Amino acid sequence: MSWEKELEELRARETLAEQMGGADKVARQHSRGKMDARARLAALVDDGSFREIGKIAGKGSYDEEGNLTGVLPAPFLFGKALINGRPVVATADDFTIRGGAADAGISRKMVQAEKMAHELKLPLIRMIDGTGGGGSVKTLEQIGATYIPAVPGWSDVVQNLDTVPVVALALGPTAGLGAARTVASHYSVMVKGLSQIFAAGPAVVDGLGESYKGSVDHQQAKEDLGGSGIHTRNGVIDDEVASEAEAFARARHFLSFMPEHVGQLARRAEPTDRADRREEELLSLVPREDKQVYSMRRCLEMVFDRGTVFEIGRMWGRACITALARLDGWPVMVLASDPSYLGGSWDAKTSEKVERFVKLADQFRLPIVHLVDNPGFMIGREAEMAGTIRYGVQAMNAVYKASVPLASVVLRRAYGIAGSAMSNAETFQYRYCWPSGDWGSLPIAGGLEVAYKSDLEAAKDPAAELDVIRARLDKVTSPFRSAERFNVEDIIDPRDTRPLLCEFAGLAWRRLESER
């Protein structure tokens, strides 16, 4: 006797699961410009690689004789898949079933997905679309009581952050637990116009007295409260993209730089760019006029392997560019001052961003390359109100605590405490300086009148005397004077930056491989 009858029931249940919330709900999802959960999983992972776990889990309906008449699937899908040929845990909320709310599902399913990631040491991708939380006010009436909230399996979410790369893609309105699951990641993305994130949606906020009823419609209210234009600029979310397809591509790209888990090293890509490439344009990149800006992003394009710079968090903490890139095929974390924003001065948000990415590099054992043009921490009343010095010191602490190799290249300015935060002065300084270097405890130009006040007051022509003092100090501030005293290790031809950093990358990865 075979078990064909039972297998027929299994196939029937699987077919019901594939219908998700039903044809009408799926059509409504598509009419909003959103892919359904199953289509998202297929688009994210390598073709045909997704193996679903718990496909038939849900709420069955039965007739009086106990025969199955229908199934409401759990609004959460997960399974094992491949991305770039490497195993991952891929998950997706199904908004077509109760808006993805957890009270329509089985909490153990989501918990098992999180456990699978850290116990098997597999990268985790969450595609989040819905609340994912404890349900509605009606749910409480059905229960007949309220309760102190708890999140089943949140300790697994925390453990994943310490164990494997976690990517979160917000692909619709995400509130409450959905928002928390998005933020609890190493890399996060929102789709412009499609995704919103909030602790509570507009209707709840309205009920508490802060009205969004002035918005044109409900969709606009959601954008006004938690659109990507807000959260990719305050640091809650890393990046904003134009489409779901772009979100999937960025998730795959991010993971290509990462190891599969803490304790494993990331992979070197086949080098496609000459390590000894020297770019003539670098020689004139930094202007002689110290107040003129230049494109640091153009510098990154010329220094790192062509086409490999993957910037993260472009819209927040803008005084420092953070990116992943490759040098002779080796993956590295990049920090780079942006003189076009606040002159490169680190404000509170920039410092917060730097701290986060230095810790990310240290956790996943990626060498750090820091391109420096920093006139100091941001000053002024607004900077003090924002607590800039606290965040700045935390960024500095992260640099000093990092145990991965770090190389810095001082293109121009390195002043004050922020200047000392560019690398760990207590370790071997793998550091190069361009001839355009300008550094010190404070910018000399800003303190001449105070430092030489008596000389200027005694002079017949104070303006002329100030010019004489300035010319004299210009010689003292020459980077070659610092090199004489070995206060800087090497002044280099800017065109040699890439070959020297490729040399660093090779040595850095040699050391990291010795840690295994």
Side-chain angles (χ1 to χ4, degrees):
M1 174 185 272
S2 75
W3 294 88
E4 188 60 38
K5 181 180 178 181
E6 285 77 11
L7 291 179
E8 287 178 3
E9 180 177 349
L10 174 61
R11 286 189 286 269
R13 286 176 177 270
E14 288 176 338
T15 299
L16 290 171
E18 289 169 1
Q19 295 174 5
M20 296 174 280
D24 290 346
K25 295 287 182 66
V26 172
R28 187 182 304 172
Q29 174 90 344
H30 294 167
S31 72
R32 292 169 173 160
K34 297 163 63 177
M35 298 173 69
D36 61 73
R38 293 189 175 280
R40 285 168 173 166
L41 286 162
L44 171 72
V45 306
D46 296 355
D47 288 346
S49 70
F50 181 66
R51 183 183 67 78
E52 189 171 355
I53 297 172
K55 183 173 184 176
I56 66 172
K59 183 178 180 180
S61 301
Y62 299 88
D63 61 21
E64 292 180 355
E65 297 178 356
N67 297 313
L68 182 71
T69 59
V71 173
L72 180 68
F76 176 80
L77 289 71
F78 85 102
K80 178 261 180 185
L82 299 177
I83 287 183
N84 303 319
R86 300 161 67 185
V88 301
V89 177
T91 79
D93 297 348
D94 187 352
F95 192 80
T96 69
I97 301 170
R98 283 287 311 275
D103 67 333
I106 299 171
S107 62
R108 184 173 180 272
K109 195 173 183 185
M110 188 178 292
V111 171
Q112 284 292 294
E114 296 286 335
K115 286 183 183 296
M116 181 181 181
H118 67 74
E119 290 186 10
L120 297 181
K121 295 187 176 181
L122 300 173
L124 174 65
I125 305 94
R126 304 188 192 108
M127 292 189 282
I128 302 170
D129 186 2
T131 63
S136 65
V137 174
K138 283 187 176 181
T139 305
L140 298 178
E141 185 177 14
Q142 293 166 3
I143 295 171
T146 188
Y147 51 86
I148 296 176
V151 180
W154 191 258
S155 61
D156 294 298
V157 173
V158 174
Q159 191 165 349
N160 279 328
L161 288 173
D162 291 335
T163 310
V164 296
V166 180
V167 175
L169 308 180
L171 303 177
T174 60
L177 181 57
R181 291 170 59 225
T182 308
V183 174
S185 62
H186 298 110
Y187 180 59
S188 57
V189 177
M190 291 180 74
V191 181
K192 186 175 182 180
L194 195 71
S195 314
Q196 300 86 32
I197 290 177
F198 15 65
V204 176
V205 174
D206 282 343
L208 296 177
E210 185 175 341
S211 178
Y212 281 83
K213 293 176 181 175
S215 302
V216 176
D217 53 32
H218 185 61
Q219 178 63 25
Q220 186 59 50
K222 291 190 293 185
E223 280 292 305
D224 291 343
L225 182 60
S228 61
I230 295 171
H231 289 310
T232 57
R233 287 155 179 79
N234 64 14
V236 167
I237 297 296
D238 292 310
D239 285 323
E240 173 188 81
V241 297
S243 67
E244 292 190 56
E246 190 178 350
F248 304 150
R250 289 192 71 87
R252 294 171 64 91
H253 201 168
F254 174 81
L255 290 173
S256 72
F257 288 97
M258 293 285 119
E260 290 160 28
H261 56 84
V262 170
Q264 182 191 73
L265 291 180
R267 290 175 170 87
R268 183 186 188 188
E270 186 67 30
T272 58
D273 197 356
R274 289 172 45 198
D276 62 353
R277 175 167 54 85
R278 299 172 82 248
E279 292 285 351
E280 195 67 28
E281 188 181 332
L282 289 173
L283 187 61
S284 55
L285 180 73
V286 177
R288 284 194 170 273
E289 171 54 52
D290 62 0
K291 293 184 180 178
Q292 287 185 356
V293 300
Y294 56 92
S295 174
M296 182 61 80
R297 289 183 175 85
R298 177 66 183 135
C299 182
L300 300 187
E301 292 170 5
M302 291 187 283
V303 167
F304 295 95
D305 292 0
R306 286 192 177 101
T308 68
V309 177
F310 181 72
E311 186 173 353
I312 298 173
R314 183 168 186 153
M315 302 309 296
W316 75 286
R318 291 167 54 195
C320 186
I321 298 164
T322 48
L324 295 164
R326 293 187 183 272
L327 286 166
D328 198 25
W330 296 109
V332 295
M333 177 67 74
V334 181
L335 309 175
S337 309
D338 188 354
S340 69
Y341 185 79
L342 302 178
S345 297
W346 287 7
D347 59 356
K349 278 295 179 185
T350 298
S351 299
E352 179 186 346
K353 178 177 167 183
V354 169
E355 179 190 13
R356 180 183 167 198
F357 282 94
V358 169
K359 288 180 175 179
L360 183 69
D362 204 40
Q363 178 180 7
F364 291 108
R365 312 311 289 161
L366 297 176
I368 300 169
V369 174
H370 195 171
L371 304 184
V372 179
D373 185 355
N374 188 336
F377 291 132
M378 195 63 188
I379 60 175
R381 178 171 170 76
E382 286 188 13
E384 301 300 344
M385 293 288 287
T388 299
I389 189 62
R390 173 173 291 279
Y391 290 100
V393 168
Q394 288 175 182
M396 183 177 180
N397 292 348
V399 169
Y400 270 66
K401 284 183 177 181
S403 59
V404 292
L406 183 152
S408 60
V409 182
V410 183
L411 279 63
R412 186 160 60 178
R413 295 162 299 186
Y415 276 103
I417 296 297
S420 68
M422 301 299 103
S423 59
N424 183 350
E426 305 299 322
T427 63
F428 172 72
Q429 290 275 69
Y430 210 109
R431 179 170 60 185
Y432 297 108
C433 301
W434 285 12
S436 45
D438 177 22
W439 41 69
S441 58
L442 77 167
I444 287 176
L448 289 182
E449 287 85 348
V450 175
Y452 292 89
K453 181 179 179 182
S454 59
D455 300 58
L456 294 173
E457 288 176 346
K460 291 182 179 180
D461 186 344
E465 180 65 17
L466 185 61
D467 288 340
V468 170
I469 294 170
R470 185 174 286 115
R472 193 167 69 234
L473 288 172
D474 280 345
K475 291 184 171 58
V476 174
T477 60
S478 164
F480 298 108
R481 296 286 188 97
S482 298
E484 280 180 12
R485 297 169 178 261
F486 199 56
N487 288 328
V488 299
E489 293 71 32
D490 283 302
I491 296 174
I492 64 168
D493 183 330
R495 294 167 292 191
D496 290 331
T497 304
R498 171 174 167 77
L500 289 169
L501 287 178
C502 286
E503 175 187 273
F504 160 76
L507 293 174
W509 276 98
R510 177 177 178 273
R511 200 207 88 182
L512 290 173
E513 287 172 346
S514 75
E515 295 178 352
R516 290 203 236 187

